[in-house]
Each structure stands twice: as C-alpha cells, then as structure tokens.
Amino acid sequence: MTQTSGIKATSQIEKAVKTTAAEAEQVARSAADTARDAGLEEAEQTADALHRAADAFDAGSIQTAALSQLAQTVNDMADTLREKPLDALIDDVAVFARKNPAIVLGGAALAGFAAARFLKAPDVRPAQDDPWSGHLDAGADTGNLPEGS
C-alpha cells in the first residue's frame, strides 16, 4: 500500500467515524427530547394530582400546605425542564455529579439493585385473564364450614 492510498483510507475512515458520531448524537438527542417530553407530561400530571389532593383537605391544614408546596416544586422542576436547552441540562447534571459523587453513586447502586430485583422476580401471572383467579379460594377449607354458612 502506498502512502497516498494509506492517507486516502485514513481520511475515509475519519469521515465515516465523524458521520457515525453525528448520527449517534442526533439519535441520542432525539431520545433525550422524547424522554424530556414524557417527563414533562408526567410532572404536570403529578402536580395536578397533588393540587387535587391538597384541595381535598381543609384550607389551612398542614396537609394542604405540604401538598401545595410539593406541587409547586414539581411545577418548578417542569418549568426548568421546559425552558432549559438539553445541553444546559446535561451540564447541570454533570456539575451535580461532580459536586455530589456519593449521591450519584448511591443512586446508581440503588437503581442497579432495583433493576436486579425486578429482573430476578418470578413471572407471576394468573392462568386466566381474571385478576382474582386463585385469590378468592386460596387456602379456604370449605369442608369445615359450619352448617348454614
């Protein structure tokens, strides 16, 4: 292989890598935008549910105050997600991770344990479509019921 063909091959490889990286970045950004939109919708629904729960209590109660504060916090979080560009959110997460590595590692460990527990859980489904099948008569000893029952 001559030096010219080696340079040409290297240039083609670099171009392919850059193209692939750009495509991967676009896919990741699209997935992040989709996740952000889903998170925003969930946060708005949660805030609405918290407001409705607060309305169920007396106006001056501590429950109303706590639920209203929690709803406002969720609304503020949703506003931040909505207003900040994706790059700024990623930077904020990176800064938080650098400042609080124990929290991030603890959260990652907790998520890992939860995922492992979920994946190890047995597949428990009723044999039929009826959600109560096997529950109503489980352990019942119908032979020993008193007369007239």
Side-chain angles (χ1 to χ4, degrees):
M1 182 172 2
T2 64
Q3 186 177 9
T4 306
S5 62
I7 292 172
K8 197 178 212 181
T10 302
S11 174
Q12 289 175 342
I13 291 171
E14 286 177 355
K15 184 178 179 182
V17 167
K18 287 179 183 178
T19 301
T20 303
E23 289 171 358
E25 181 181 359
Q26 184 60 35
V27 168
R29 285 186 182 279
S30 176
D33 284 338
T34 301
R36 179 172 54 180
D37 292 343
L40 282 170
E41 184 176 326
E42 190 67 33
E44 289 168 351
Q45 290 174 358
T46 300
D48 288 343
L50 288 167
H51 281 297
R52 286 191 307 273
D55 292 341
F57 292 99
D58 293 332
S61 71
I62 192 166
Q63 293 91 347
T64 299
L67 289 169
S68 296
Q69 179 64 40
L70 191 55
Q72 186 58 47
T73 301
V74 172
N75 278 331
D76 292 346
M77 180 202 65
D79 290 342
T80 299
L81 284 175
R82 188 178 296 108
E83 293 168 2
K84 276 194 174 186
L86 185 60
D87 292 336
L89 290 172
I90 291 170
D91 289 343
D92 289 350
V93 169
V95 167
F96 178 82
R98 277 195 288 284
K99 288 182 178 180
N100 305 292
I103 293 173
V104 173
L105 289 174
L110 183 62
F113 290 135
R117 182 100 173 156
F118 175 75
L119 293 173
K120 286 184 178 181
D123 185 17
V124 181
R125 293 186 202 169
Q128 302 169 347
D129 290 338
D130 181 7
W132 292 103
S133 67
H135 293 282
L136 294 177
D137 58 58
D141 188 3
T142 57
N144 293 334
L145 290 177
E147 292 286 326
S149 295

